[in-house]
Amino acid sequence: QVQLVESGGGLVQAGGSLRLSCVASKRTFRTDIMGWFRQAPEKEREFVAALSWSGGTTVYSDSVKGRFTISRDNAKNTVYLQMNSLKPEDTAVYYCAADRWPITTEVSDYDYWGQGTQVTVSS
């Protein structure tokens, strides 16, 4: 069983930054991929970024590439999402998710999900 707990969300003005954290407990070797997704009201959950624990390979959506950075601390079993140059369009509930290899950007492919953390960007 993999348990994911997100934190770090909050209210920030446009152009500001936030750093989200996701602690993954009881991980197994079958869940090597960690991803960040977000969901705004009245919209579908969408892919943001993902990485592999073992190799550090990263993938980003076009909408956040160059502004967001995903990283991990293997010793702490924690994945981070550094969000810079935030825009009002980034406002959403952000979810941490876990999956087996290979990296995928599809919501339906991920096996485990956290409860989400709210990110609100004001204009």
Side-chain angles (χ1 to χ4, degrees), residues 48-102:
V48 176
L51 63 65
S52 65
W53 286 97
S54 57
T57 301
T58 59
V59 179
Y60 297 92
S61 69
D62 291 337
S63 63
V64 307
K65 193 171 186 178
R67 299 188 298 121
F68 292 9
T69 302
I70 187 171
S71 61
R72 92 287 197 192
D73 185 331
N74 288 9
K76 297 181 179 179
N77 291 321
T78 301
V79 177
Y80 305 97
L81 184 68
Q82 178 66 47
M83 305 184 294
N84 299 325
S85 301
L86 283 163
K87 305 174 181 179
E89 304 91 274
D90 296 319
T91 296
V93 175
Y94 282 71
Y95 297 90
C96 179
D99 187 30
R100 66 179 67 86
W101 181 264

Short mmCIF file of all heavy atoms in Angstrom, two decimals, residues 48-102:
data_model
loop_
_atom_site.label_atom_id
_atom_site.label_comp_id
_atom_site.label_asym_id
_atom_site.label_seq_id
_atom_site.Cartn_x
_atom_site.Cartn_y
_atom_site.Cartn_z
N VAL A 48 0.55 17.55 -14.89
CA VAL A 48 1.44 18.68 -14.69
C VAL A 48 2.90 18.28 -14.88
O VAL A 48 3.62 18.86 -15.70
CB VAL A 48 1.27 19.30 -13.29
CG1 VAL A 48 2.28 20.41 -13.06
CG2 VAL A 48 -0.15 19.82 -13.11
N ALA A 49 3.35 17.29 -14.12
CA ALA A 49 4.74 16.86 -14.19
C ALA A 49 4.88 15.48 -13.58
O ALA A 49 4.05 15.05 -12.78
CB ALA A 49 5.65 17.86 -13.47
N ALA A 50 5.96 14.78 -13.92
CA ALA A 50 6.22 13.46 -13.36
C ALA A 50 7.71 13.17 -13.37
O ALA A 50 8.48 13.78 -14.13
CB ALA A 50 5.47 12.38 -14.14
N LEU A 51 8.13 12.25 -12.51
CA LEU A 51 9.52 11.81 -12.48
C LEU A 51 9.61 10.36 -12.04
O LEU A 51 8.65 9.79 -11.54
CB LEU A 51 10.37 12.71 -11.58
CG LEU A 51 10.12 12.82 -10.07
CD1 LEU A 51 10.34 11.52 -9.32
CD2 LEU A 51 11.03 13.90 -9.49
N SER A 52 10.79 9.78 -12.23
CA SER A 52 11.06 8.44 -11.75
C SER A 52 11.97 8.53 -10.53
O SER A 52 12.94 9.29 -10.52
CB SER A 52 11.72 7.59 -12.84
OG SER A 52 13.00 8.09 -13.19
N TRP A 53 11.64 7.76 -9.50
CA TRP A 53 12.46 7.75 -8.29
C TRP A 53 13.88 7.29 -8.59
O TRP A 53 14.85 7.88 -8.11
CB TRP A 53 11.86 6.83 -7.24
CG TRP A 53 10.65 7.34 -6.56
CD1 TRP A 53 9.36 7.06 -6.86
CD2 TRP A 53 10.62 8.22 -5.42
NE1 TRP A 53 8.51 7.72 -5.99
CE2 TRP A 53 9.26 8.43 -5.10
CE3 TRP A 53 11.60 8.86 -4.66
CZ2 TRP A 53 8.85 9.24 -4.04
CZ3 TRP A 53 11.20 9.67 -3.60
CH2 TRP A 53 9.84 9.84 -3.31
N SER A 54 13.99 6.25 -9.37
CA SER A 54 15.29 5.62 -9.58
C SER A 54 16.24 6.44 -10.44
O SER A 54 17.42 6.57 -10.11
CB SER A 54 15.10 4.23 -10.20
OG SER A 54 14.37 4.31 -11.41
N GLY A 55 15.73 6.99 -11.55
CA GLY A 55 16.61 7.68 -12.48
C GLY A 55 16.49 9.19 -12.51
O GLY A 55 17.36 9.87 -13.07
N GLY A 56 15.41 9.73 -11.94
CA GLY A 56 15.23 11.16 -11.93
C GLY A 56 14.74 11.73 -13.25
O GLY A 56 14.74 12.96 -13.42
N THR A 57 14.33 10.89 -14.17
CA THR A 57 13.79 11.36 -15.44
C THR A 57 12.54 12.19 -15.19
O THR A 57 11.70 11.82 -14.37
CB THR A 57 13.45 10.18 -16.35
OG1 THR A 57 14.63 9.40 -16.58
CG2 THR A 57 12.91 10.67 -17.69
N THR A 58 12.41 13.31 -15.89
CA THR A 58 11.27 14.20 -15.68
C THR A 58 10.51 14.46 -16.96
O THR A 58 11.07 14.45 -18.06
CB THR A 58 11.71 15.55 -15.09
OG1 THR A 58 12.65 16.18 -15.97
CG2 THR A 58 12.37 15.35 -13.73
N VAL A 59 9.21 14.72 -16.82
CA VAL A 59 8.33 15.06 -17.92
C VAL A 59 7.42 16.19 -17.45
O VAL A 59 6.94 16.17 -16.33
CB VAL A 59 7.48 13.86 -18.37
CG1 VAL A 59 6.55 14.26 -19.52
CG2 VAL A 59 8.37 12.71 -18.80
N TYR A 60 7.18 17.17 -18.33
CA TYR A 60 6.34 18.31 -17.98
C TYR A 60 5.28 18.55 -19.04
O TYR A 60 5.48 18.26 -20.23
CB TYR A 60 7.16 19.59 -17.86
CG TYR A 60 8.19 19.58 -16.75
CD1 TYR A 60 9.49 19.15 -16.99
CD2 TYR A 60 7.85 19.99 -15.46
CE1 TYR A 60 10.44 19.14 -15.97
CE2 TYR A 60 8.79 19.98 -14.45
CZ TYR A 60 10.08 19.56 -14.71
OH TYR A 60 11.00 19.55 -13.69
N SER A 61 4.15 19.10 -18.62
CA SER A 61 3.16 19.54 -19.57
C SER A 61 3.64 20.83 -20.20
O SER A 61 4.43 21.57 -19.61
CB SER A 61 1.81 19.76 -18.89
OG SER A 61 1.86 20.87 -18.01
N ASP A 62 3.16 21.12 -21.40
CA ASP A 62 3.59 22.33 -22.10
C ASP A 62 3.20 23.60 -21.34
O ASP A 62 3.90 24.61 -21.41
CB ASP A 62 2.99 22.36 -23.50
CG ASP A 62 3.57 21.31 -24.41
OD1 ASP A 62 4.70 20.84 -24.14
OD2 ASP A 62 2.91 20.95 -25.40
N SER A 63 2.12 23.55 -20.61
CA SER A 63 1.62 24.73 -19.94
C SER A 63 2.49 25.17 -18.75
O SER A 63 2.42 26.33 -18.34
CB SER A 63 0.18 24.52 -19.46
OG SER A 63 0.12 23.47 -18.52
N VAL A 64 3.29 24.26 -18.21
CA VAL A 64 4.10 24.60 -17.04
C VAL A 64 5.60 24.50 -17.29
O VAL A 64 6.40 24.93 -16.44
CB VAL A 64 3.74 23.73 -15.83
CG1 VAL A 64 2.25 23.79 -15.55
CG2 VAL A 64 4.19 22.29 -16.04
N LYS A 65 5.99 23.95 -18.41
CA LYS A 65 7.41 23.76 -18.70
C LYS A 65 8.13 25.11 -18.70
O LYS A 65 7.69 26.06 -19.32
CB LYS A 65 7.58 23.08 -20.05
CG LYS A 65 8.99 22.56 -20.30
CD LYS A 65 9.04 21.70 -21.55
CE LYS A 65 10.41 21.07 -21.73
NZ LYS A 65 10.47 20.20 -22.93
N GLY A 66 9.24 25.15 -17.98
CA GLY A 66 10.00 26.38 -17.85
C GLY A 66 9.64 27.17 -16.61
O GLY A 66 10.41 28.05 -16.20
N ARG A 67 8.49 26.88 -16.00
CA ARG A 67 8.07 27.57 -14.80
C ARG A 67 8.06 26.66 -13.57
O ARG A 67 8.36 27.10 -12.47
CB ARG A 67 6.67 28.16 -14.99
CG ARG A 67 6.56 29.18 -16.10
CD ARG A 67 5.19 29.86 -16.09
NE ARG A 67 4.11 28.91 -16.33
CZ ARG A 67 3.11 28.70 -15.50
NH1 ARG A 67 3.03 29.37 -14.35
NH2 ARG A 67 2.16 27.83 -15.81
N PHE A 68 7.69 25.41 -13.77
CA PHE A 68 7.62 24.44 -12.68
C PHE A 68 8.79 23.47 -12.75
O PHE A 68 9.27 23.14 -13.84
CB PHE A 68 6.32 23.63 -12.74
CG PHE A 68 5.07 24.42 -12.47
CD1 PHE A 68 5.09 25.80 -12.36
CD2 PHE A 68 3.86 23.75 -12.33
CE1 PHE A 68 3.92 26.51 -12.11
CE2 PHE A 68 2.70 24.45 -12.08
CZ PHE A 68 2.72 25.83 -11.97
N THR A 69 9.21 22.98 -11.60
CA THR A 69 10.27 21.99 -11.53
C THR A 69 9.89 20.89 -10.55
O THR A 69 9.56 21.17 -9.40
CB THR A 69 11.60 22.62 -11.08
OG1 THR A 69 11.97 23.67 -11.97
CG2 THR A 69 12.70 21.56 -11.07
N ILE A 70 9.93 19.65 -11.01
CA ILE A 70 9.66 18.52 -10.14
C ILE A 70 10.99 17.91 -9.71
O ILE A 70 11.93 17.81 -10.51
CB ILE A 70 8.77 17.47 -10.84
CG1 ILE A 70 8.36 16.37 -9.86
CG2 ILE A 70 9.46 16.89 -12.06
CD1 ILE A 70 7.31 15.42 -10.41
N SER A 71 11.09 17.52 -8.46
CA SER A 71 12.31 16.93 -7.94
C SER A 71 11.97 15.97 -6.82
O SER A 71 10.81 15.91 -6.38
CB SER A 71 13.28 18.01 -7.43
OG SER A 71 12.70 18.75 -6.38
N ARG A 72 12.96 15.22 -6.37
CA ARG A 72 12.70 14.26 -5.29
C ARG A 72 13.88 14.17 -4.34
O ARG A 72 15.02 14.47 -4.69
CB ARG A 72 12.34 12.89 -5.86
CG ARG A 72 13.48 11.89 -6.06
CD ARG A 72 14.37 12.23 -7.22
NE ARG A 72 15.18 11.08 -7.63
CZ ARG A 72 16.20 11.15 -8.46
NH1 ARG A 72 16.54 12.32 -9.01
NH2 ARG A 72 16.88 10.05 -8.79
N ASP A 73 13.58 13.74 -3.13
CA ASP A 73 14.57 13.44 -2.12
C ASP A 73 14.32 11.99 -1.72
O ASP A 73 13.40 11.71 -0.95
CB ASP A 73 14.45 14.37 -0.91
CG ASP A 73 15.56 14.17 0.10
OD1 ASP A 73 16.09 13.05 0.21
OD2 ASP A 73 15.91 15.14 0.80
N ASN A 74 15.11 11.09 -2.27
CA ASN A 74 14.88 9.67 -2.04
C ASN A 74 14.97 9.28 -0.56
O ASN A 74 14.22 8.42 -0.10
CB ASN A 74 15.89 8.84 -2.84
CG ASN A 74 15.60 8.85 -4.33
OD1 ASN A 74 14.75 9.60 -4.81
ND2 ASN A 74 16.31 8.02 -5.07
N ALA A 75 15.88 9.90 0.16
CA ALA A 75 16.06 9.58 1.56
C ALA A 75 14.82 9.93 2.39
O ALA A 75 14.53 9.28 3.39
CB ALA A 75 17.28 10.30 2.12
N LYS A 76 14.10 10.96 1.97
CA LYS A 76 12.91 11.40 2.68
C LYS A 76 11.62 10.88 2.06
O LYS A 76 10.54 11.18 2.56
CB LYS A 76 12.86 12.92 2.73
CG LYS A 76 14.01 13.56 3.50
CD LYS A 76 13.86 15.08 3.52
CE LYS A 76 14.98 15.72 4.31
NZ LYS A 76 14.86 17.21 4.33
N ASN A 77 11.74 10.13 0.97
CA ASN A 77 10.57 9.64 0.24
C ASN A 77 9.61 10.79 -0.09
O ASN A 77 8.39 10.65 0.04
CB ASN A 77 9.84 8.57 1.06
CG ASN A 77 10.63 7.29 1.16
OD1 ASN A 77 11.27 6.86 0.20
ND2 ASN A 77 10.57 6.65 2.32
N THR A 78 10.18 11.89 -0.52
CA THR A 78 9.40 13.09 -0.77
C THR A 78 9.64 13.61 -2.18
O THR A 78 10.78 13.66 -2.65
CB THR A 78 9.75 14.19 0.24
OG1 THR A 78 9.50 13.72 1.56
CG2 THR A 78 8.92 15.44 -0.01
N VAL A 79 8.56 14.00 -2.84
CA VAL A 79 8.61 14.61 -4.16
C VAL A 79 8.16 16.06 -4.03
O VAL A 79 7.21 16.35 -3.30
CB VAL A 79 7.72 13.87 -5.16
CG1 VAL A 79 7.72 14.57 -6.51
CG2 VAL A 79 8.21 12.43 -5.32
N TYR A 80 8.82 16.95 -4.74
CA TYR A 80 8.51 18.37 -4.66
C TYR A 80 8.07 18.90 -6.01
O TYR A 80 8.45 18.40 -7.06
CB TYR A 80 9.74 19.17 -4.21
CG TYR A 80 10.32 18.71 -2.90
CD1 TYR A 80 11.42 17.84 -2.88
CD2 TYR A 80 9.79 19.13 -1.69
CE1 TYR A 80 11.96 17.41 -1.69
CE2 TYR A 80 10.33 18.70 -0.49
CZ TYR A 80 11.42 17.83 -0.49
OH TYR A 80 11.95 17.41 0.70
N LEU A 81 7.27 19.95 -5.97
CA LEU A 81 6.91 20.68 -7.17
C LEU A 81 7.14 22.15 -6.88
O LEU A 81 6.37 22.79 -6.16
CB LEU A 81 5.45 20.44 -7.56
CG LEU A 81 5.03 21.11 -8.87
CD1 LEU A 81 5.74 20.45 -10.06
CD2 LEU A 81 3.51 21.03 -9.07
N GLN A 82 8.23 22.68 -7.42
CA GLN A 82 8.55 24.10 -7.28
C GLN A 82 7.82 24.84 -8.38
O GLN A 82 8.05 24.59 -9.56
CB GLN A 82 10.05 24.33 -7.38
CG GLN A 82 10.47 25.79 -7.28
CD GLN A 82 10.19 26.39 -5.92
OE1 GLN A 82 10.51 25.78 -4.91
NE2 GLN A 82 9.58 27.57 -5.90
N MET A 83 6.96 25.77 -8.01
CA MET A 83 6.15 26.50 -8.97
C MET A 83 6.55 27.98 -8.93
O MET A 83 6.36 28.65 -7.91
CB MET A 83 4.66 26.35 -8.65
CG MET A 83 4.21 24.89 -8.58
SD MET A 83 2.42 24.73 -8.32
CE MET A 83 2.28 25.43 -6.67
N ASN A 84 7.08 28.46 -10.03
CA ASN A 84 7.49 29.84 -10.16
C ASN A 84 6.66 30.55 -11.22
O ASN A 84 6.02 29.91 -12.05
CB ASN A 84 8.98 29.93 -10.53
CG ASN A 84 9.89 29.32 -9.50
OD1 ASN A 84 9.63 29.39 -8.30
ND2 ASN A 84 11.00 28.74 -9.96
N SER A 85 6.70 31.87 -11.19
CA SER A 85 5.97 32.68 -12.17
C SER A 85 4.52 32.23 -12.28
O SER A 85 3.99 32.04 -13.38
CB SER A 85 6.66 32.61 -13.54
OG SER A 85 7.99 33.06 -13.46
N LEU A 86 3.89 32.06 -11.15
CA LEU A 86 2.52 31.55 -11.13
C LEU A 86 1.54 32.50 -11.79
O LEU A 86 1.67 33.72 -11.70
CB LEU A 86 2.10 31.27 -9.69
CG LEU A 86 2.68 29.99 -9.09
CD1 LEU A 86 2.55 30.00 -7.57
CD2 LEU A 86 1.98 28.76 -9.68
N LYS A 87 0.56 31.90 -12.44
CA LYS A 87 -0.48 32.63 -13.14
C LYS A 87 -1.84 32.27 -12.56
O LYS A 87 -2.00 31.19 -11.99
CB LYS A 87 -0.47 32.28 -14.63
CG LYS A 87 0.86 32.48 -15.33
CD LYS A 87 0.79 31.97 -16.76
CE LYS A 87 2.12 32.12 -17.46
NZ LYS A 87 2.06 31.60 -18.85
N PRO A 88 -2.83 33.14 -12.70
CA PRO A 88 -4.17 32.79 -12.22
C PRO A 88 -4.68 31.47 -12.82
O PRO A 88 -5.43 30.76 -12.15
CB PRO A 88 -5.02 33.98 -12.69
CG PRO A 88 -4.06 35.12 -12.68
CD PRO A 88 -2.77 34.53 -13.18
N GLU A 89 -4.27 31.16 -14.02
CA GLU A 89 -4.67 29.92 -14.67
C GLU A 89 -4.13 28.68 -13.97
O GLU A 89 -4.59 27.57 -14.24
CB GLU A 89 -4.21 29.90 -16.14
CG GLU A 89 -4.69 31.09 -16.95
CD GLU A 89 -3.69 32.23 -16.93
OE1 GLU A 89 -3.76 33.05 -15.99
OE2 GLU A 89 -2.86 32.31 -17.85
N ASP A 90 -3.15 28.85 -13.09
CA ASP A 90 -2.59 27.73 -12.34
C ASP A 90 -3.43 27.37 -11.13
O ASP A 90 -3.16 26.37 -10.46
CB ASP A 90 -1.17 28.06 -11.88
CG ASP A 90 -0.20 28.24 -13.04
OD1 ASP A 90 -0.27 27.45 -14.01
OD2 ASP A 90 0.63 29.17 -12.97
N THR A 91 -4.43 28.18 -10.83
CA THR A 91 -5.30 27.92 -9.68
C THR A 91 -6.01 26.58 -9.85
O THR A 91 -6.68 26.34 -10.85
CB THR A 91 -6.33 29.03 -9.52
OG1 THR A 91 -5.67 30.26 -9.22
CG2 THR A 91 -7.31 28.71 -8.40
N ALA A 92 -5.85 25.71 -8.86
CA ALA A 92 -6.44 24.37 -8.92
C ALA A 92 -6.09 23.61 -7.65
O ALA A 92 -5.28 24.07 -6.84
CB ALA A 92 -5.91 23.60 -10.14
N VAL A 93 -6.71 22.47 -7.50
CA VAL A 93 -6.30 21.52 -6.47
C VAL A 93 -5.21 20.66 -7.09
O VAL A 93 -5.41 20.07 -8.15
CB VAL A 93 -7.46 20.65 -5.98
CG1 VAL A 93 -6.96 19.60 -4.99
CG2 VAL A 93 -8.54 21.51 -5.34
N TYR A 94 -4.07 20.58 -6.44
CA TYR A 94 -2.95 19.82 -6.96
C TYR A 94 -2.86 18.48 -6.24
O TYR A 94 -2.89 18.41 -5.01
CB TYR A 94 -1.65 20.60 -6.78
CG TYR A 94 -1.48 21.69 -7.82
CD1 TYR A 94 -2.29 22.83 -7.77
CD2 TYR A 94 -0.56 21.57 -8.85
CE1 TYR A 94 -2.17 23.82 -8.73
CE2 TYR A 94 -0.43 22.56 -9.81
CZ TYR A 94 -1.23 23.68 -9.74
OH TYR A 94 -1.11 24.67 -10.69
N TYR A 95 -2.74 17.42 -7.03
CA TYR A 95 -2.70 16.07 -6.51
C TYR A 95 -1.37 15.39 -6.81
O TYR A 95 -0.83 15.53 -7.90
CB TYR A 95 -3.80 15.21 -7.13
CG TYR A 95 -5.21 15.67 -6.82
CD1 TYR A 95 -5.86 16.58 -7.64
CD2 TYR A 95 -5.87 15.18 -5.69
CE1 TYR A 95 -7.15 17.00 -7.36
CE2 TYR A 95 -7.16 15.60 -5.41
CZ TYR A 95 -7.79 16.50 -6.24
OH TYR A 95 -9.07 16.91 -5.96
N CYS A 96 -0.89 14.66 -5.85
CA CYS A 96 0.27 13.81 -6.02
C CYS A 96 -0.21 12.40 -6.35
O CYS A 96 -1.22 11.94 -5.79
CB CYS A 96 1.10 13.81 -4.73
SG CYS A 96 2.58 12.78 -4.78
N ALA A 97 0.47 11.72 -7.26
CA ALA A 97 0.06 10.39 -7.67
C ALA A 97 1.27 9.49 -7.89
O ALA A 97 2.37 9.96 -8.16
CB ALA A 97 -0.77 10.46 -8.95
N ALA A 98 1.05 8.19 -7.78
CA ALA A 98 2.11 7.20 -7.96
C ALA A 98 1.70 6.15 -8.97
O ALA A 98 0.53 5.77 -9.05
CB ALA A 98 2.46 6.54 -6.63
N ASP A 99 2.68 5.66 -9.73
CA ASP A 99 2.42 4.70 -10.78
C ASP A 99 3.65 3.81 -10.97
O ASP A 99 4.74 4.14 -10.51
CB ASP A 99 2.08 5.44 -12.08
CG ASP A 99 1.64 4.52 -13.20
OD1 ASP A 99 1.06 3.46 -12.90
OD2 ASP A 99 1.86 4.87 -14.37
N ARG A 100 3.47 2.72 -11.67
CA ARG A 100 4.58 1.85 -12.02
C ARG A 100 5.23 2.35 -13.32
O ARG A 100 4.63 3.12 -14.06
CB ARG A 100 4.11 0.40 -12.19
CG ARG A 100 3.18 0.20 -13.37
CD ARG A 100 2.77 -1.27 -13.49
NE ARG A 100 1.95 -1.68 -12.36
CZ ARG A 100 0.64 -1.52 -12.31
NH1 ARG A 100 0.00 -0.96 -13.34
NH2 ARG A 100 -0.03 -1.93 -11.25
N TRP A 101 6.44 1.90 -13.57
CA TRP A 101 7.12 2.23 -14.81
C TRP A 101 6.33 1.72 -16.01
O TRP A 101 5.74 0.66 -15.95
CB TRP A 101 8.52 1.60 -14.80
CG TRP A 101 9.30 1.92 -16.03
CD1 TRP A 101 9.43 1.14 -17.14
CD2 TRP A 101 10.07 3.10 -16.27
NE1 TRP A 101 10.22 1.77 -18.07
CE2 TRP A 101 10.63 2.97 -17.56
CE3 TRP A 101 10.33 4.24 -15.53
CZ2 TRP A 101 11.44 3.94 -18.12
CZ3 TRP A 101 11.13 5.22 -16.08
CH2 TRP A 101 11.67 5.05 -17.36
N PRO A 102 6.30 2.49 -17.12
CA PRO A 102 7.04 3.71 -17.45
C PRO A 102 6.26 4.97 -17.09
O PRO A 102 5.10 4.90 -16.66
CB PRO A 102 7.22 3.59 -18.95
CG PRO A 102 5.95 2.96 -19.41
CD PRO A 102 5.63 1.94 -18.33
#
